[in-house]
Structures are given as C-alpha cells and as structure tokens.
Amino acid sequence: MRTTQPALDLDLVAGKQSYASRAVGVTGTLTSVWQQLRNRYAIGRLNDLDDRQLLDMGLKREDVREAITSPFFDNPASYLTRASRNRASLFFKGARHD
C-alpha cells in the first residue's frame, strides 16, 4: 500500500504571498479605482442635463452634486439610486392619499 505525501508550500506557511496572489491583489485594486473614476465621470455628465431631465430620473441637481463630492471610495451610483428610489416612494405615497 502506498501513501502520497502532500506537497507543502513553504511560502504560504511562512506567511509570504506568492507573486501571483500579489498580482491578483494589485489588479483588483486597479480595477476598482478605474471603475470609481468611470462612475464619477458618468455622474459628472449628469450635470449636462437640465432639471426636468434629472427629475425624469427621480434626481435633483443637489443629489448629483452630493454624489460627486462624496468620498472617493464610496460608490456615488448607490447614493443616486437611493435618492431616486426615496423620491419615487414619496411621490407614490402622496399619489395614493389623494
């Protein structure tokens, strides 16, 4: 009967990261930063719309301004989504009571 000896990765045991795992971490960070920049650029383009067009999306100019000035690693798109949903919810609650 033969038994196999599992190979022991000494780099992982010693707490060192391999080149591949560091590369994955750096790539993930760069991807995240790129997405944040892209989102902020797209939200900045919302300033080109007039107030009526923003209201069609359930947003006000203050919502866009606040999303742009939010901390960099906070997702400004989630803030705009929340603001739009809250405004729609208030609108439809008012419509039901009339």
Side-chain angles (χ1 to χ4, degrees):
M1 178 174 207
R2 290 176 34 178
T3 60
T4 59
Q5 293 290 334
L8 190 58
D9 188 355
L10 295 178
D11 284 341
L12 292 177
V13 172
K16 298 178 186 175
Q17 286 184 332
S18 69
Y19 174 76
S21 64
R22 280 184 276 159
V24 168
V26 169
T27 302
T29 302
L30 291 175
T31 301
S32 175
V33 168
W34 176 251
Q35 287 174 339
Q36 290 292 341
L37 289 171
R38 233 181 35 201
N39 286 347
R40 288 190 179 276
Y41 175 75
I43 289 170
R45 297 288 311 252
L46 290 175
N47 279 326
D48 296 340
L49 301 177
D50 64 20
D51 290 338
R52 182 186 53 79
Q53 291 169 320
L54 286 173
L55 197 55
D56 283 346
M57 291 184 274
L59 298 173
K60 290 189 175 184
R61 186 120 357 241
E62 303 89 50
D63 298 331
V64 176
R65 194 172 308 114
E66 194 166 330
I68 289 173
T69 59
S70 67
F72 182 76
F73 283 103
D74 286 351
N75 185 359
S78 65
Y79 173 79
L80 292 177
T81 301
R82 230 180 0 263
S84 177
R85 285 182 181 166
N86 289 342
R87 192 161 287 111
S89 176
L90 290 173
F91 174 79
F92 286 118
K93 281 182 183 176
R96 280 188 262 161
H97 292 293
D98 289 342

